[in-house]
Amino acid sequence: MRSPDPEAQRSESSGAGPRGGDADSADSPRSEEGLVLACYHDAWDVALDRGEEVRCSVRARHFASLGKEEKLLAAGDRVRVEIARDGACVIEESFERETVLSRLLPGSRRPTEQVIIANAEQLVAVASFVEPPLNRRLLDRFLVIGEDAELECAVVLNKIDLVSEDTWRRHAGVYETAGYRVIPTCAVDGRGVPELAALIEGRFSVLAGASGSGKSSLLNAIEPGLGIRVREISEKTRKGKHTTSNVTVFRLKDGSLVADTPGFRELGLWKIAAEELGFLFPEFRESIPECKYPSCSHGPEPGCAVKAAVEAGSIDADRYESYLKLHGEMSTRRKVEAPDGGPLPPV
């Protein structure tokens, strides 16, 4: 797509037509709504509701009145686009988000939110068994931020062709017991691909996971025409190499929306309080009301029903370790105040 002509934008912005303001109604811009597919440094790709995809600039006068965080458009945002007669497209307005999946911006001097995707309905957390090796801690972090965003969450365990059936079934069982839909997949031989296609059909889903876990390969297997570049694996680190630095939303032939994310190596939690964390592990929820102390951290306190469930084997010990690690990070971080005045204990 070509970038809008700056001169055309300035002319259209001032309201002037070809003769300095005497343009007739035929020259008037039209307004349409759409969804942001991808964000670049100074351009935004938008899928208009009638089907056309356009590249847009942003109307500065509208965004100048917004707060700092509201100014940042994200993939998945609903927007209103003004289209000039010459085809120049300008985002005039963004609409309130129904859901927001966020993380703590890596490397920021002060805690800053980075929106991964807006308005998604479902998070599909993808993990591979090898190349890169299975990282249960990172997988659990994805599920925690998905639960916090109130998205439906599912787990895809990819590259099952490279491990024994006993191995992948054992890990799948952990997440099924926790209450998640689990789909074992292999993009090479197609196992699990129809099940994944059925899971995302008719929904707005986001696929998230470590770089090299196979998200793009699975999307290409579902719809070969997408042609998404597949991430290579570094021979030195055995971790995925990034081929994409931004989130991209794809419209599948059946009308489904699916966001392909860059691989994450850091996933800090944003605006999740330590006392809320236990409720973001679905398998903890039944036990939490049975704890002896209402403020139980499910750590050293006596009478903790969550710990009792772990000891009894009804809660997976490794999932519990993920909880303890996250809770420990929250507890040791210096408390700061969020812009809205509430506590902000990200990890």
Side-chain angles (χ1 to χ4, degrees), residues 146-160:
E147 293 283 349
D148 181 62
E150 299 184 356
L151 303 182
E152 293 186 26
C153 298
V155 174
V156 166
L157 297 177
N158 195 29
K159 304 184 184 180
I160 59 173

Side-chain angles (χ1 to χ4, degrees), residues 64-323:
S65 65
L66 299 179
K68 181 177 180 181
E69 297 302 329
E70 295 175 292
K71 288 182 182 180
L72 301 176
L73 285 170
D77 271 326
R78 294 284 307 172
V79 295
R80 183 171 62 82
V81 176
E82 189 172 275
I83 306 172
R85 183 176 178 133
D86 66 358
C89 299
V90 182
I91 295 175
E92 287 275 359
E93 181 182 5
S94 59
F95 300 113
E96 184 177 356
R97 294 164 174 163
E98 295 185 7
T99 64
V100 182
L101 185 71
S102 300
R103 69 167 174 170
L104 178 69
L105 179 66
S108 54
R109 292 187 175 182
R110 64 176 300 277
T112 303
E113 178 184 19
Q114 181 183 39
V115 176
I116 299 171
I117 191 74
N119 297 314
E121 300 171 275
Q122 177 174 246
L123 167 69
V124 181
V126 181
S128 62
F129 283 103
V130 294
E131 295 185 349
L134 180 62
N135 185 339
R136 289 269 301 270
R137 295 286 182 266
L138 182 61
L139 176 56
D140 290 340
R141 283 177 181 261
F142 276 115
L143 294 172
V144 164
I145 68 169
E147 293 283 349
D148 181 62
E150 299 184 356
L151 303 182
E152 293 186 26
C153 298
V155 174
V156 166
L157 297 177
N158 195 29
K159 304 184 184 180
I160 59 173
D161 57 317
L162 301 179
V163 295
S164 68
E165 183 173 345
D166 287 344
T167 296
W168 67 254
R169 285 194 181 276
R170 173 166 51 83
H171 289 286
V174 168
Y175 290 95
E176 288 171 341
T177 300
Y180 293 107
R181 168 79 184 277
V182 179
I183 302 177
T185 60
C186 173
V188 176
D189 62 26
R191 278 182 288 174
V193 172
E195 290 81 0
L196 178 57
L199 178 71
I200 66 177
E201 184 178 2
R203 313 290 303 280
F204 184 178
S205 304
V206 52
L207 269 63
S211 187
S213 59
K215 303 180 298 295
S216 298
S217 294
L218 289 169
L219 286 178
N220 285 333
I222 290 172
E223 191 162 308
L226 289 177
I228 307 171
R229 286 186 63 194
V230 176
R231 292 156 180 76
E232 299 173 350
I233 299 296
S234 167
E235 288 296 331
K236 182 177 180 180
T237 65
R238 309 311 296 168
K239 293 180 179 179
K241 294 180 179 179
H242 296 290
T243 59
T244 305
S245 59
N246 55 300
V247 178
T248 303
V249 179
F250 295 93
R251 295 192 296 182
L252 305 187
K253 292 178 181 178
D254 64 5
S256 307
L257 295 172
V258 59
D260 185 30
T261 63
F264 294 100
R265 293 176 183 170
E266 295 181 55
L267 197 67
L269 308 188
W270 173 255
K271 276 194 175 182
I272 298 177
E275 59 270 19
E276 299 172 352
L277 181 62
F279 292 98
L280 303 181
F281 284 73
E283 67 271 42
F284 287 18
R285 294 171 188 161
E286 185 176 343
S287 300
I288 289 174
E290 304 302 320
C291 290
K292 182 176 181 179
Y293 300 104
S295 60
C296 183
S297 69
H298 318 304
E301 300 94 336
C304 174
V306 172
K307 283 195 299 182
V310 175
E311 293 167 1
S314 55
I315 290 178
D316 178 69
D318 201 52
R319 285 270 292 167
Y320 178 63
E321 286 298 321
S322 286
Y323 165 83

